[in-house]
Amino acid sequence: MMKGHRTWVFENRPVIVATATVGGPFEANGKIADDFDLLHEDLWLGEDSYEKAHKVLFEEAFFQAMKKARIEKEQVQFIIAGDLINQMTPSSFAARTLSTPYLGVFGACSTSMEALALSAFIVNYGGAKYILTGAASHNAAVEKQFRYPTEYGGQKPPTAQWTVTGAGVALVGKEGDGPRITSATIGRVVDMGLTDPFNMGGAMAPAAVDTIEAHVRDMGIDPSYYDLIVTGDLGKIGRTVSLDLLRKNGMELEEERYQDCGLLIYREGQPVLSGGSGAGCSATVVYGHLLHRMKRGEIKRMLVVATGALLSPLTFQQGETIPCIAHAVAIEYGGDDR
Amino acid sequence: MKKWFVLMSMFFLISCAHEQKEQQQSLQQENMTNVSHDGSAKRSDQQQAKRAVDMLKERQDVKDAVAVEANGRLLVAYQVKHLHRFRMKQIEKEVGKALNEQFREKVIASHDLKIFWKTKALKEKIETKNISEKEIEKEMTVIQKLSEEQT
Amino acid sequence: MANEKRKNLTPVQQEYHQFEQARETKRPVLKNCVRAFFVGGLICTIGQAISYFYMYFFDFTEKTVGNPTVATMVFIAMLLTGFGVYDRLAQFAGAGSAVPVTGFGNAVISAAIEHRTEGFVLGVGGNMFKLAGSVILFGTFSAFVVALIKTIAVKWGGLG
């Protein structure tokens, strides 16, 4: 059901039946390594190209999620997934392996929540029984496309972020036990005229603020309704900027109830500069770490705001600004569960 | 950061001290082994070479010089002091001109370190081994060719 | 440049720019300079040692020793790039490792490694100079311009 200007409320409350997360070597050294289902020691994952490794990340996450939910791939109606690589080949190729009907979506690093919102919408209205949804990114494959070669010695500024190697997949179903998706707010493309591709957090912060404010307004709730509002990959700078911006606009948020996936995933001292980023960042942290915490009862209601910078290497070289987007999905578990 | 700075400067200071010591050592060694330290072989047939060396050493910007002569050819190699190396081109010109004016011999002048080493080795050979003029000439031709080599 | 760009922005965007910049972690310029000085100096010292090595043990003069020294330095940079050390060094040193010829070697090799999976002809061959290509082009071009200026100055200005 539509509520306000751009928020969907899901009366049937689709369930996240199972989730699976796969990570790379850098994530294995991170803060939340225990929350991953599978961790790889090698960035190549035994493949002969990073793009293939990227695809394997996805496949493993898909199969792991189905295994955990104890369902066969024939029972899954759709896959809704996306990633950052040109033409989204890793997602499409992984969907080829599963040979399940597939919708590829692109929202840069906000893909995870974009796909989850759409899946919830479809499941809510009886469009499907089970949908596999997810997002992934591979550090080397993404850096290769968006920045310099991985081994190139260019000094990154402290505002730069580290692309997560990982895939996070959720199986959304009509019935079952698990965290429930209650509402979703679709973001607007916000462009504040920033052009520095090494400062994504700063560029994306206004988009996150816009979506959070829209969600709160549409739902007619106070932000304190949520135990945790978690942003996708704003990093240190983006988090500070967005928090201050929210406060400036008159929304009171407590520090510890406003977290960022890009800061949760890595340990202090890992050379990630401003934090993690990439489509896999919000996917792995939310589907792994945060949902585990939810199941342990530490969090009851959570708003995930995945942010994405909708640029391509071409546009920023042509001097265009970086348009950004953020999608919010509310997930609840326990409490007033029906 | 502060720690880094201290470490770096320590490293720098230590390496400086070390270098100085080594320089001294090598100088002492040179003094001991070299029969003469004026840079030209002490032989009756090396008079012009000695003059050339004395002339160059008078210059402020020249650190060291050696010279060898044989059969109407004068091979002069010199080292320019560190900070004066910025004016290398000019010094080269001046030295070449001065030498050509002073000596009737065909002058081969070079500031190249490799030529300097080679010339010095040849000079020492002349002093200690008493080799014939023909051999000196042969070696000089080799050095001359080397000095004329282009990249 | 930055001011020119800012003029095209709306007041809201301008306000946000200032808001954001106040919270941005600044590049530690002084720290980077010091690091670049030491690492760059270290690389040059190694280069000097190598050139002395070639001069002492082989028949190279100061004039001709440049070629083998550069080749050796690029070779070392290649090994370091291949072992994945150079990019870490660069993150620490910045310009200190980018400006010496080793940085150029690293730019070539890293691109070659990166595109190895796309095959030798279109992958390695086509992309090897994607970073270093502009160095070569503008290096050659600026040399041409300087030569042109010198020629004109010598011919008509009576310089030199």
Side-chain angles (χ1 to χ4, degrees):
Chain A
M1 189 185 74
M2 181 86 176
K3 197 170 181 187
H5 289 284
R6 44 183 159 130
T7 302
W8 292 329
V9 176
F10 305 121
E11 303 92 346
N12 297 327
R13 296 160 74 98
V15 183
I16 298 176
V17 183
T19 58
T21 48
V22 183
F26 224 70
E27 290 64 37
N29 287 325
K31 220 174 353 188
I32 55 163
D34 295 342
D35 289 311
F36 282 90
D37 293 308
L38 279 169
L39 283 167
H40 287 275
E41 222 173 78
D42 177 21
L43 208 53
W44 292 92
L45 272 66
E47 299 292 317
D48 55 14
S49 83
Y50 288 132
E51 285 73 16
K52 282 185 193 164
H54 195 334
K55 181 200 75 178
V56 169
L57 279 177
F58 240 140
E59 286 174 358
E60 286 180 346
F62 280 146
F63 283 116
Q64 183 72 20
M66 287 188 288
K67 202 173 114 194
K68 277 166 90 174
R70 283 191 220 92
I71 65 165
E72 294 302 313
K73 67 176 183 184
E74 285 71 26
Q75 291 172 264
V76 177
Q77 272 84 40
F78 303 112
I79 293 174
I80 302 179
D83 57 81
L84 296 170
I85 303 300
N86 285 339
Q87 286 81 38
M88 297 190 308
T89 47
S91 312
S92 307
F93 284 25
R96 175 182 69 186
T97 312
L98 270 76
S99 68
T100 305
Y102 155 76
L103 288 167
V105 291
F106 180 82
C109 312
S110 71
T111 306
S112 58
M113 287 308 119
E114 183 182 353
L116 185 65
L118 285 172
S119 310
F121 189 87
I122 294 169
V123 169
N124 186 54
Y125 290 106
K129 235 179 135 188
Y130 287 113
I131 294 181
L132 270 174
T133 176
S137 56
H138 186 288
N139 180 281
V142 172
E143 295 268 321
K144 172 180 180 177
Q145 190 190 319
F146 279 89
R147 307 222 165 86
Y148 302 117
T150 33
E151 295 301 335
Y152 175 65
Q155 195 177 35
K156 288 178 191 150
T159 51
Q161 285 168 273
W162 176 274
T163 308
V164 169
T165 304
V169 163
L171 184 73
V172 181
K174 210 168 166 142
E175 278 139 21
D177 191 33
R180 289 176 177 272
I181 304 158
T182 53
S183 61
T185 301
I186 305 301
R188 275 195 305 180
V189 177
V190 176
D191 190 337
M192 278 298 175
L194 269 74
T195 49
D196 183 5
F198 281 118
N199 183 13
M200 297 289 204
M204 292 190 295
V209 169
D210 183 74
T211 303
I212 293 170
E213 284 174 348
H215 180 82
V216 170
R217 204 183 319 120
D218 285 353
M219 294 294 290
I221 50 171
D222 193 75
S224 61
Y225 176 80
Y226 294 107
D227 299 323
L228 184 68
I229 293 179
V230 63
T231 50
D233 52 356
L234 292 180
K236 272 179 211 144
I237 291 137
R239 180 173 173 268
T240 326
V241 170
S242 57
L243 190 61
D244 287 353
L245 207 58
L246 282 168
R247 282 176 176 165
K248 198 179 126 202
N249 295 354
M251 189 184 286
E252 268 316 309
L253 269 178
E254 289 158 57
E255 283 272 336
E256 62 271 20
R257 286 167 76 169
Y258 187 70
Q259 297 287 341
D260 183 67
C261 296
L263 296 174
L264 288 171
I265 187 163
Y266 295 117
R267 209 183 287 282
E268 276 295 311
Q270 277 186 298
V272 295
L273 302 163
S274 192
S277 75
C281 180
S282 53
T284 50
V285 176
V286 172
Y287 295 153
H289 178 67
L290 291 174
L291 287 187
H292 289 171
R293 271 174 69 183
M294 233 175 186
K295 282 177 186 164
R296 287 198 299 266
E298 290 169 33
I299 308 166
K300 285 200 167 63
R301 304 184 186 115
M302 157 169 89
L303 183 69
V304 185
V305 187
T307 47
L310 303 170
L311 83 168
S312 84
L314 195 75
T315 59
F316 87 75
Q317 272 170 10
Q318 290 175 343
E320 295 218 37
T321 52
I322 304 172
C324 297
I325 196 164
H327 300 294
V329 175
I331 303 169
E332 297 183 16
Y333 186 63
D336 54 353
D337 206 21
R338 284 186 294 181
Chain B
M1 187 54 220
K2 213 169 182 182
K3 212 165 78 186
W4 252 109
F5 209 86
V6 172
L7 253 168
M8 271 299 194
S9 41
M10 281 284 275
F11 173 74
F12 209 55
L13 287 173
I14 288 168
S15 49
C16 279
H18 191 63
E19 205 175 339
Q20 238 166 20
K21 209 171 168 185
E22 224 164 44
Q23 235 170 27
Q24 257 171 9
Q25 263 177 357
S26 63
L27 274 177
Q28 276 169 354
Q29 254 178 7
E30 221 172 293
N31 269 337
M32 281 191 283
T33 50
N34 274 14
V35 187
S36 69
H37 195 241
D38 58 359
S40 64
K42 273 218 179 104
R43 251 165 72 155
S44 55
D45 58 350
Q46 298 290 322
Q47 288 306 318
Q48 301 299 332
K50 189 175 160 21
R51 255 185 68 209
V53 167
D54 289 344
M55 202 180 104
L56 278 182
K57 279 193 172 170
E58 264 170 40
R59 281 185 68 100
Q60 276 263 304
D61 42 20
V62 170
K63 190 162 64 181
D64 203 358
V66 282
V68 170
E69 66 165 310
N71 203 13
R73 270 196 300 177
L74 182 62
L75 175 64
V76 188
Y78 56 95
Q79 285 291 289
V80 177
K81 274 184 191 156
H82 193 70
L83 282 174
H84 293 277
R85 287 178 76 97
F86 287 114
R87 300 191 304 115
M88 193 68 113
K89 274 255 152 74
Q90 208 192 330
I91 292 170
E92 198 178 354
K93 227 186 210 167
E94 281 172 21
V95 167
K97 208 174 149 211
L99 285 173
N100 274 319
E101 273 169 12
Q102 280 288 323
F103 298 98
R104 286 176 289 108
E105 285 91 347
K106 187 186 180 305
V107 177
I108 308 145
S110 173
H111 59 76
D112 202 290
L113 185 62
K114 179 72 183 176
I115 307 298
F116 183 81
W117 284 343
K118 279 250 179 194
T119 314
K120 199 168 181 177
L122 176 60
K123 188 204 82 185
E124 268 158 25
K125 223 190 223 169
I126 293 168
E127 273 173 7
T128 51
K129 290 211 183 113
N130 206 11
I131 51 173
S132 71
E133 187 145 317
K134 212 170 184 182
E135 270 173 276
I136 300 172
E137 228 190 309
K138 215 168 109 192
E139 288 227 19
M140 267 174 83
T141 315
V142 171
I143 298 172
Q144 189 186 355
K145 269 208 185 119
L146 198 62
S147 76
E148 281 159 4
E149 227 168 62
Q150 294 293 325
T151 42
Chain C
M1 183 75 182
N3 283 333
E4 215 172 279
K5 258 186 191 162
R6 201 157 284 177
K7 270 178 203 155
N8 297 327
L9 300 176
T10 63
V12 182
Q13 286 179 327
Q14 284 185 20
E15 197 194 326
Y16 177 69
H17 266 228
Q18 278 163 8
F19 189 83
E20 197 271 335
Q21 239 145 46
R23 285 157 183 82
E24 202 173 283
T25 323
K26 295 281 171 294
R27 276 173 190 259
V29 176
L30 191 73
K31 193 163 98 180
N32 283 353
C33 285
V34 172
R35 284 172 170 184
F37 177 80
F38 281 105
V39 178
L42 185 70
I43 291 174
C44 294
T45 313
I46 294 169
Q48 190 65 43
I50 290 171
S51 74
Y52 271 6
F53 168 81
Y54 279 123
M55 273 160 67
Y56 198 85
F57 291 104
F58 301 96
D59 273 347
F60 289 109
T61 59
E62 264 181 73
K63 215 190 279 172
T64 56
V65 80
N67 290 343
T69 308
V70 166
T72 312
M73 289 307 278
V74 169
F75 185 77
I76 293 170
M78 182 184 94
L79 289 181
L80 290 179
T81 306
F83 290 128
V85 181
Y86 203 88
D87 55 331
R88 280 177 220 183
L89 177 76
Q91 182 60 34
F92 175 78
S97 65
V99 174
V101 75
T102 48
F104 179 80
N106 167 255
V108 177
I109 303 301
S110 63
I113 294 172
E114 186 86 357
H115 294 278
R116 169 66 192 88
T117 54
E118 289 149 46
F120 277 115
V121 178
L122 291 175
V124 176
N127 291 299
M128 196 162 174
F129 291 101
K130 75 172 186 180
L131 291 170
S134 62
V135 179
I136 297 172
L137 172 69
F138 290 110
T140 317
F141 178 69
S142 56
F144 170 74
V145 170
V146 169
L148 203 66
I149 291 168
K150 195 192 164 187
T151 312
I152 291 167
V154 169
K155 281 262 176 195
W156 290 300
L159 248 171

